[in-house]
Amino acid sequence: MTDQTPVDVTFDLSLARPDKLGADPRDGGTNFALFSNSADKVELCLFDEGGQHETARITLPCMEGGVWHGFIPGVGVGQRYGYRVHGPYAPKKGHRYNPNKLLLDPYARALMGNIQWDDSLFGYKVGEDDLTFDERDSAAFMPKGVVVDDSYAWDRSDALRTRWDQTVIYEAHVKGLTMRHPGIVQADRGTFAGLSADPVLEHLTKLGVTAIELLPIHAFANDNYLIEKGLSNYWGYNTLSFFAPHQGYLKSWDIQEVKTAIDRFHAAGIEVILDVVYNHTCEGNEMGPTLSFRGIDNESYYMTGEDKRHVYDTTGTGNTLNVQHPMVLRMVMDSLRYWVEVMHVDGFRFDLASTLARDSDGFDRSGNFFATIRQDPVLSAVKLIAEPWDIGDGGYQVGGFVWPFREWNDKARDDIRAFWRRDDSMTGPLSERLSGSPVQFDHDNRPATSSINFVAAHDGFTLWDTTAYNDKHNEANGEDGRDGHDNNLSDNLGAEGPTDDADIMEARRRRVKAAQATVLLAQGVPMILAGDEFGQTQDGNNNAYCQDNEITWLNWEEADDSLTRSAAAAIALRRDLEGFVDTNFGNADLSDGKATRWHHPEGREMTEDDWHDGGLRCLAKRITTASDCDILMIFNAGDPAEFTLPDGEWVQRLDTSADDPAADATHEGSLTVDWQSVVVLTQDYAPEE
């Protein structure tokens, strides 16, 4: 708020430019530019510091290529603003212009204020159909854009660029990670200041993760129907702005708080990856509010069917962003580049990425969106992760994306859960997942690191809850338990929910440690759900998208240190074993045989009959690295098993059943592998003369 809005606003046409969209402060003023292809007139509305009083309403004087623009001297950083766009209100033709509705600039870098739900936010008359026209002014209930300065004095300006084969991802929520942390001051909890506080950085560093993947931090709407039920849009998959950070995660509207947090993560050697939602917006279907895109240029921003009154929905949220339109695609690319070049993030996880690859003929892995990213010198160099599905026809596309994209692998999640649940006939599927899922990813020159392996994520049970609940318990969501997945591949091990039974608790700890170690020792890129490393529970809620409370906030004071030690030991082992991660899916041939072999507990290599033994619960993967190190990983989902070792002396490097999982021991001939545990042994390898 360094500049005051002038009473008399005049444009300097000599400085007006259409090439940079949004509000660009420069040359002693600000250039405003907004794309609206079918508008008749665009009005810029300036507001006072509180964002409640409109101090000026002026028509942007220039337009070319659908970009309305103008430069105003004297308007600078801190100015609050919005738009009113005039044009036809013709829903059947896809047009929903209504100048009574204040609209948020899609390129706004910061927001001030929150949506206050009111019927005036809708372009039609609430209670009637969407063909009606509402004349009420919505400005009092809308957040305002804020003109910001992109400059920042970075302590660490160079990118980390951690190699994929050295990457371990930690999926977390800004608020959920910090709200109950006793080491974070109360005023910082739930914000970026708390996220990058010393106790969080120390924990992540001790654990050994190399990247934090944040659930959506783009500004999002808190849905009115959830508010009315006393709930909220906790996860944030309902984007309002693709440039501005969510104001609820800031102590003020100042986006420098985000940069400070990212800088601190980089100083700790941890990359920052954003979960981004470019497939839809919070405006929903034609019965939704008019907050930004709908009122600016509905026909351009959203996919419509033959009946342009209705938007096309492959996301289950009411609308689908039309990235086939060049200016909409440009907005998304500008947003991505902004977060990399200005905010210094290290990569993105694309929510419902199959939607972004759709054209008129359906899913196209070589389509416009992904081709544009692949050729971009900025974006192609950062980490790119696809959630490879949506709800449309042909939307499930695990393994269907192109390099350099990586993909969430729910097949790994399901098979790892099933193996440790002691389901029959799971040795074969487990071997696939331990190898990086070659059936899905070993094609088109893709590496094994294409697979993002996980056993739990924000959507679904926590890892602990897969061992504590047979059924979902989503009553708190207000949908009578109808929401959420039913196929959780879980097993409560003898009691539904919390228990004081020591044997059940020990069984749960064993299974959690073993499953987490499996993810961390599989080829590909491991991802840990925040809190899984110490036993976080959501009380059996497997769809906690609307729970901004102690159901989802990590309970640091109840952390089980034995689980954390086991996870940290597995991560350290993965890092320390040179050549362990094989981007070639273990297909390399060495002078004396294959680099990867599979062993039966009796000591022989697995036979075809062994792979079809439905009751087999124990097997080992043996890796011979290029540096002549033998690694033997034994996975025992069953009872204690005597395992015959290959010849020679073996050094035990990990035992998830032990109090000290990283304690060394030597074994020769055989060893007893305890129930529900993972054991890793190594020996220097010297081929026979």
Side-chain angles (χ1 to χ4, degrees):
M1 294 85 71
T2 59
D3 300 291
Q4 298 297 317
T5 303
V7 176
D8 296 319
V9 178
T10 58
F11 288 98
D12 184 343
L13 299 185
S14 69
L15 293 174
R17 297 185 58 169
D19 53 306
K20 186 173 182 180
L21 293 165
D24 179 24
R26 56 174 172 80
D27 301 324
T30 299
N31 191 80
F32 293 90
L34 179 77
F35 170 75
S36 181
N37 195 53
S38 302
D40 298 329
K41 181 173 71 172
V42 174
E43 292 178 312
L44 172 66
C45 302
L46 304 180
F47 289 83
D48 67 352
E49 188 173 321
Q52 290 300 306
H53 300 290
E54 188 172 326
T55 59
R57 185 183 303 188
I58 44 182
T59 301
L60 291 179
C62 307
M63 191 278 283
E64 55 181 87
V67 178
W68 302 77
H69 58 286
F71 181 90
I72 308 177
V75 169
V77 173
Q79 176 65 58
R80 280 72 159 146
Y81 73 102
Y83 289 107
R84 299 180 189 273
V85 181
H86 297 252
Y89 190 79
K92 291 183 178 180
K93 296 182 179 180
H95 300 308
R96 295 182 178 272
Y97 297 103
N98 187 335
N100 299 294
K101 310 306 168 186
L102 187 77
L103 305 173
L104 186 67
D105 179 5
Y107 279 73
R109 265 52 168 181
L111 304 185
M112 195 278 294
N114 297 299
I115 296 172
Q116 303 297 318
W117 287 107
D118 184 81
D119 287 352
S120 65
L121 294 172
F122 294 78
Y124 64 93
K125 296 178 180 178
V126 174
E128 302 182 35
D129 67 36
D130 63 296
L131 300 179
T132 59
F133 185 81
D134 188 86
E135 296 181 351
R136 287 172 291 184
D137 194 313
S138 66
F141 306 98
M142 278 291 295
K144 312 304 185 295
V146 183
V147 179
V148 299
D149 181 3
D150 285 344
S151 64
Y152 181 80
W154 293 92
D155 286 335
R156 182 183 176 115
S157 59
D158 54 320
L160 295 181
R161 295 288 190 270
T162 304
R163 291 169 52 96
W164 275 115
D165 58 6
Q166 298 171 356
T167 296
V168 178
I169 299 172
Y170 187 83
E171 190 199 25
H173 187 283
V174 172
K175 190 172 185 179
L177 188 66
T178 60
M179 280 299 290
R180 301 179 71 183
H181 198 302
I184 298 175
V185 297
Q186 190 70 43
D188 289 348
R189 295 182 185 181
T191 71
F192 277 96
L195 181 73
S196 60
D198 287 342
V200 173
L201 296 177
E202 290 166 3
H203 174 78
L204 297 183
T205 301
K206 182 178 179 181
L207 185 61
V209 299
T210 69
I212 186 168
E213 180 178 306
L214 298 175
L215 269 69
I217 69 165
H218 288 170
F220 58 85
N222 196 2
D223 310 74
N224 192 38
Y225 82 93
L226 290 175
I227 294 174
E228 290 176 343
K229 294 196 296 183
L231 303 171
S232 66
N233 182 8
Y234 174 67
W235 284 348
Y237 291 94
N238 206 19
T239 307
L240 174 65
S241 172
F242 297 114
F243 290 82
H246 186 60
Q247 195 174 354
Y249 300 154
L250 305 175
K251 298 172 72 174
S252 68
W253 62 265
D254 192 350
I255 65 172
Q256 305 289 28
E257 296 175 33
V258 183
K259 295 180 180 180
T260 299
I262 293 171
D263 213 12
R264 287 180 56 80
F265 273 104
H266 287 174
I270 299 172
E271 293 183 303
V272 178
I273 299 171
L274 301 186
D275 193 337
V276 288
V277 188
Y278 292 109
N279 54 74
H280 74 280
T281 78
C282 66
E283 290 183 309
N285 62 21
E286 63 274 6
M287 303 305 291
T290 297
L291 308 173
S292 180
F293 313 94
R294 171 164 290 131
I296 293 171
D297 192 346
N298 180 75
E299 185 184 30
S300 293
Y301 279 104
Y302 295 122
M303 291 179 64
T304 61
E306 293 182 7
D307 178 1
K308 290 184 177 296
R309 175 183 175 183
H310 303 288
V311 291
Y312 189 55
D313 180 18
T314 63
T315 64
T317 61
N319 65 52
T320 303
L321 204 66
N322 182 21
V323 293
Q324 300 305 311
H325 191 289
M327 292 301 289
V328 180
L329 179 61
R330 174 184 168 180
M331 177 190 69
V332 174
M333 296 300 138
D334 285 347
S335 168
L336 291 168
R337 280 188 292 266
Y338 171 78
W339 284 98
V340 173
E341 295 182 310
V342 177
M343 304 299 282
H344 285 204
V345 304
D346 303 280
F348 305 95
R349 180 264 193 189
F350 293 87
D351 177 64
L352 301 182
S354 295
T355 293
L356 300 171
R358 287 185 179 275
D359 59 22
S360 57
D361 297 322
F363 179 84
D364 181 5
R365 66 198 298 265
S366 301
N368 196 31
F369 180 83
F370 292 105
T372 302
I373 290 181
R374 293 178 73 197
Q375 62 77 43
D376 189 288
V378 173
L379 300 180
S380 61
V382 302
K383 287 185 165 61
L384 303 168
I385 302 170
E387 182 186 34
W389 49 76
D390 65 18
I391 67 167
D393 291 339
Y396 186 77
Q397 290 291 334
V398 173
F401 287 76
V402 290
W403 183 91
F405 278 83
R406 272 60 181 177
E407 302 176 34
W408 272 26
N409 187 355
D410 64 332
K411 293 182 180 294
R413 175 198 65 195
D414 292 350
D415 288 345
I416 293 170
R417 287 188 184 186
F419 176 81
W420 291 107
R421 194 175 64 169
R422 301 187 176 186
D423 288 10
D424 288 342
S425 304
M426 289 308 302
T427 53
L430 182 71
S431 70
E432 286 281 313
R433 308 312 160 206
L434 291 171
S435 301
S437 300
V439 171
Q440 285 71 39
F441 297 106
D442 190 8
H443 58 82
D444 297 323
N445 298 315
R446 300 187 74 185
T449 52
S450 297
S451 176
I452 305 293
N453 301 318
F454 62 101
V455 73
H458 69 273
D459 185 4
F461 275 156
T462 67
L463 178 53
W464 183 266
D465 284 355
T466 66
T467 71
Y469 295 92
N470 285 342
D471 304 301
K472 64 186 180 183
H473 295 270
N474 296 356
E475 292 76 15
N477 296 352
E479 299 181 38
D480 297 323
R482 295 186 301 271
D483 63 304
H485 299 292
D486 291 318
N487 182 32
N488 296 293
L489 295 167
S490 62
D491 172 19
N492 67 22
L493 291 167
E496 189 74 355
T499 180
D500 293 328
D501 188 302
D503 291 338
I504 293 176
M505 289 298 291
E506 174 61 16
R508 289 176 179 177
R509 290 189 190 95
R510 291 251 183 152
R511 185 165 293 179
V512 165
K513 290 190 285 186
Q516 189 126 278
T518 306
V519 170
L520 294 167
L521 295 172
Q523 297 299 312
V525 179
M527 184 182 79
I528 300 170
L529 173 64
D532 275 357
E533 76 275 19
F534 57 67
Q536 175 70 15
T537 178
Q538 291 181 169
D539 302 328
N541 192 321
N542 75 346
N543 188 35
Y545 75 101
C546 56
Q547 300 296 332
D548 185 4
N549 50 47
E550 293 188 354
I551 291 176
T552 53
W553 300 343
L554 299 198
N555 188 357
W556 293 89
E557 293 187 327
E558 295 296 324
D560 186 329
D561 291 338
S562 70
L563 304 184
T564 307
R565 288 196 303 273
S566 181
I571 293 173
L573 183 61
R574 179 186 180 92
R575 180 186 62 242
D576 295 343
L577 290 176
E578 183 180 352
F580 171 78
V581 179
D582 178 10
T583 60
N584 194 37
F585 299 93
N587 291 328
D589 287 316
L590 300 179
S591 58
D592 71 329
K594 289 287 187 181
T596 299
R597 285 166 283 184
W598 301 92
H599 287 245
H600 188 277
E602 294 179 358
R604 65 177 184 272
E605 290 195 34
M606 292 278 286
T607 67
E608 193 67 25
D609 287 343
D610 293 331
W611 288 117
H612 289 94
D613 180 356
L616 185 63
R617 302 279 186 265
C618 182
L619 82 163
K621 180 180 182 181
R622 183 180 181 185
I623 300 173
T624 303
T625 71
S627 58
D628 290 339
C629 176
D630 246 6
I631 305 168
L632 188 70
M633 300 181 291
I634 306 172
F635 302 87
N636 181 25
D639 297 330
E642 191 72 13
F643 201 100
T644 301
L645 299 173
D647 292 342
E649 186 176 83
W650 291 82
V651 178
Q652 181 177 298
R653 305 292 298 277
L654 180 75
D655 181 357
T656 62
S657 69
D659 290 335
D660 183 358
D664 285 347
T666 57
H667 299 277
E668 191 169 1
S670 66
L671 84 159
T672 300
V673 181
D674 216 340
W675 56 281
Q676 292 269 290
S677 66
V678 176
V679 174
V680 180
L681 308 102
T682 63
Q683 69 173 193
D684 290 335
Y685 174 74
E688 295 180 2
E689 296 293 336

